[in-house]
Amino acid sequence: MFHCPIQIIKRSVGRSAVAAAAYRSGEKLTSEWDGLTRDYTHKPGVVHSEIMLPAHAPPEFADRSTLWNSVEQIEKASDAQLAREIEVALPVELSRAEQLALVRSYVRDNFVAAGMCADFALHDKGDGNPHAHILLTIRPLKPDGRWGPKCRKVYDLDSQGNRIPDGKGGWKNHREDTTDWNNRENAEKWRVAWATYANRALEAAGRPERIDHRSYERQGIEKIPSVHMGPAASQMERRGIRTEKGDLNRQIADDNKLLKELKARITRIYNWSKEQAAVESPQNGGSLVARLYEAQAKVNQDKARYRSGKIKALQENAKLLAFLQGNGINSMQELYEKVSAMNKDYYDLRGKIVKAERRLAVLDERLEMWAQYEQYKPIHQKLDKVKPGKREQYQQKHRDELALFDAAAVFLKSLKESGEAITPKAWRAEAATLTQQKDMDYAKMRAMRDEIKAVESLRKAADRLAREGQHQQKENER
């Protein structure tokens, strides 16, 4: 599975680069910024941690405490951005040594080579979810190893290259980043790189599996994507406990199976009916369709040995006749036209279903994040009222809840900044409408099976007649 979220460790939401490093490496570190000690030496699942530095970084930065305390000390603002974190899911098909080599090469070539200090840790609790946390410095280092500025002031110039007065005794100016590390395009670039490096490692290990950073939609695959289970739901499912997300993924798997099955069956009968229509010629004054119906009806009757079988044979014959008469099919050309229409209906329905499912996935994520935000909002609000001396204790006690709140808050903020309104009521209404329409389209898709089965029975009759004709020809030649 491709998994590569990117986030910023921000002081404005009460986070610390030292605390983040301690948690991910499973170590005990003390922050010189706030004087607090974080002890994660008993945290399970940390199988490896390592710091990688660019050539001009001070050698002492190889010590985790020195590196991240230096980051904390250089950042003076209360809303400072302290570090960037990239989390990647490690291919379970690779050995631990292969996973480590993969992460090292990815970090070295994409971040350390660009001048960032990187601190990464591999986590694996044996639950089938091995992953790596990669902490990266945001402030650049000067060639002499000292921290450089994140941005610089640049004066605006007119067409003659002169500074423009701001009307207040100064000059118009703007700020520019000193590096391109914060460019939005980097998120896509780093995600593409992870897929490339992971696939290269899988290929070197002789494994056939591959990952793709793109969604099914971007890949042009009309397949319904499964929902991300998360570690909690995954562990429950492995213990045999059904979860809502697990049930949803099972339904999605069944739906994808249905779409794939119908596509294969309708493609076969479409090609067959097209070929037969091209060569059809009346024989003995009757159409080929009529002869195929009679042949299939006889087969159904011949197979019936008992009363129940005879009743079923009559029902099958009646369904086949109803299909032909109901659609006015008397020739192979008319059958081909009907199958062509079925083929078009199938692709139209599949397109609508996949589009609805993708939109529902977006709405479900938004509603889940909104519910998560509302659920843990009181805990976050209480944090602001806790006295400084008890703040660390409160944060440790509610660490998971606060992390979930922060994740939801970041998600909703980015959504709002992109121009989307935060409208849970409208999201729920849209999801209900899409679900109702999707269910109706699935019902139409399943009903298509009966028509496909009718044409398939005609095709079987044609194959049978062809075999009988070949056998009779051989007998005559003897």
Side-chain angles (χ1 to χ4, degrees):
M1 176 183 288
F2 183 87
H3 179 68
C4 185
I6 302 172
Q7 65 165 324
I8 299 294
I9 307 297
K10 302 177 182 179
R11 187 178 282 159
S12 60
V13 294
R15 303 189 69 184
S16 158
V18 173
Y23 181 78
R24 285 148 185 80
S25 64
E27 292 187 3
K28 180 179 179 180
L29 300 177
T30 299
S31 171
E32 298 171 7
W33 172 263
D34 56 20
L36 299 177
T37 298
R38 278 83 169 186
D39 186 357
Y40 295 105
T41 52
H42 300 294
K43 174 178 169 58
V46 181
V47 297
H48 181 86
S49 62
E50 182 177 330
I51 290 175
M52 300 180 73
L53 303 172
H56 60 290
E60 57 267 26
F61 278 6
D63 176 75
R64 186 164 283 108
S65 177
T66 301
L67 170 62
W68 294 111
N69 270 303
S70 179
V71 167
E72 293 275 10
Q73 291 295 335
I74 195 66
E75 302 296 347
K76 307 301 182 183
S78 60
D79 60 349
Q81 294 186 349
L82 304 171
R84 177 177 288 105
E85 182 188 33
I86 298 178
E87 182 183 336
V88 292
L90 300 174
V92 296
E93 297 82 6
L94 300 179
S95 67
R96 178 74 69 237
E98 290 168 338
Q99 290 173 344
L100 179 56
L102 164 61
V103 175
R104 277 180 178 151
S105 61
Y106 174 66
V107 171
R108 180 188 62 242
D109 297 346
N110 290 277
F111 308 111
V112 178
M116 304 179 208
C117 301
D119 181 2
F120 72 86
L122 271 58
H123 290 187
D124 189 354
K125 296 181 181 178
D127 57 1
N129 183 36
H131 56 278
H133 294 272
I134 306 167
L135 282 178
L136 303 165
T137 51
I138 293 178
R139 182 178 290 270
L141 286 167
K142 295 179 180 179
D144 61 4
R146 292 184 300 160
W147 292 113
K150 290 181 180 177
C151 58
R152 57 176 173 264
K153 182 168 70 174
V154 178
Y155 290 105
D156 298 334
L157 305 176
D158 59 21
S159 57
Q160 282 75 44
N162 300 315
R163 295 181 182 179
I164 304 172
D166 63 3
K168 301 177 183 178
W171 309 98
K172 291 184 177 181
N173 63 82
H174 63 277
R175 293 189 177 276
E176 288 184 357
D177 290 339
T178 55
T179 69
D180 63 355
W181 300 347
N182 285 330
N183 290 358
R184 289 185 177 273
E185 296 78 11
N186 280 332
E188 177 77 359
K189 183 177 74 174
W190 293 333
R191 286 164 61 84
V192 171
W194 174 249
T196 302
Y197 277 63
N199 288 334
R200 189 184 302 160
L202 286 165
E203 183 178 7
R207 299 292 308 193
E209 298 84 1
R210 297 293 183 267
I211 63 175
D212 197 311
H213 72 286
R214 299 169 299 168
S215 65
Y216 285 145
E217 184 174 10
R218 289 176 61 190
Q219 293 179 57
I221 299 175
E222 287 199 340
K223 183 178 179 181
I224 305 164
S226 59
V227 298
H228 180 60
M229 294 282 287
S234 296
Q235 290 175 21
M236 291 175 68
E237 288 285 338
R238 277 190 287 272
R239 294 199 300 268
I241 303 172
R242 295 178 72 95
T243 63
E244 185 177 346
K245 287 186 176 181
D247 288 340
L248 180 57
N249 275 342
R250 279 183 282 275
Q251 182 60 53
I252 289 172
D254 288 342
D255 292 341
N256 278 326
K257 185 178 179 181
L258 171 67
L259 296 178
K260 185 177 181 180
E261 171 209 329
L262 292 184
K263 179 182 179 181
R265 291 173 66 183
I266 206 167
T267 299
R268 284 194 294 268
I269 61 173
Y270 173 82
N271 292 334
W272 172 75
S273 63
K274 184 177 181 180
E275 291 171 1
Q276 294 299 316
V279 300
E280 180 184 29
S281 60
Q283 297 182 23
N284 300 325
S287 73
L288 179 57
V289 169
R291 292 195 305 115
L292 293 179
Y293 166 73
E294 291 170 0
Q296 184 60 30
K298 186 175 186 305
V299 169
N300 290 338
Q301 291 171 349
D302 291 344
K303 287 193 304 183
R305 297 182 180 180
Y306 303 101
R307 183 173 181 275
S308 59
K310 292 178 180 179
I311 293 174
K312 184 178 180 181
L314 289 172
Q315 290 174 339
E316 292 294 328
N317 294 341
K319 286 181 181 178
L320 181 53
L321 184 61
F323 169 74
L324 295 173
Q325 291 180 340
N327 291 282
I329 298 173
N330 296 298
S331 67
M332 287 304 303
Q333 178 61 35
E334 290 169 341
L335 179 63
Y336 166 62
E337 291 170 358
K338 169 60 181 176
V339 175
S340 296
M342 289 165 57
N343 190 50
K344 181 181 183 301
D345 290 343
Y346 165 79
Y347 280 100
D348 288 346
L349 283 172
R350 192 178 75 167
K352 288 171 63 178
I353 287 170
V354 171
K355 183 179 179 180
E357 291 281 13
R358 286 173 176 163
R359 178 58 180 169
L360 281 169
V362 171
L363 294 172
D364 287 345
E365 182 183 26
R366 293 181 181 182
L367 288 168
E368 184 178 355
M369 287 293 105
W370 173 256
Q372 188 170 302
Y373 177 85
E374 288 293 294
Q375 180 179 356
Y376 300 115
K377 184 178 180 180
I379 295 175
H380 181 267
Q381 290 175 329
K382 190 174 180 180
L383 174 64
D384 297 332
K385 300 177 183 179
V386 176
K387 295 180 180 179
K390 296 184 178 181
R391 188 178 180 87
E392 173 65 15
Q393 183 181 358
Y394 183 86
Q395 286 178 315
Q396 289 296 326
K397 182 179 179 181
H398 299 285
R399 182 182 63 215
D400 293 340
E401 295 97 325
L402 291 170
L404 289 169
F405 174 83
D406 289 343
V410 168
F411 175 86
L412 294 172
K413 182 181 179 183
S414 64
L415 194 64
K416 192 172 183 179
E417 288 176 347
S418 69
E420 289 278 355
I422 309 301
T423 54
K425 186 176 180 180
W427 294 340
R428 281 189 285 269
E430 184 184 356
T433 301
L434 283 173
T435 300
Q436 183 179 21
Q437 183 59 52
K438 180 197 68 172
D439 291 343
M440 291 171 61
D441 290 337
Y442 268 122
K444 293 177 183 177
M445 190 75 83
R446 292 186 181 93
M448 198 177 287
R449 275 179 166 157
D450 290 336
E451 294 189 327
I452 291 174
K453 186 177 179 180
V455 181
E456 286 175 336
S457 68
L458 294 176
R459 182 188 175 190
K460 289 178 183 177
D463 292 341
R464 192 179 306 108
L465 289 176
R467 288 195 300 270
E468 290 174 357
Q470 290 171 359
H471 178 72
Q472 186 63 45
Q473 183 178 357
K474 288 180 181 179
E475 288 293 325
N476 294 336
E477 290 175 354
R478 290 177 185 176

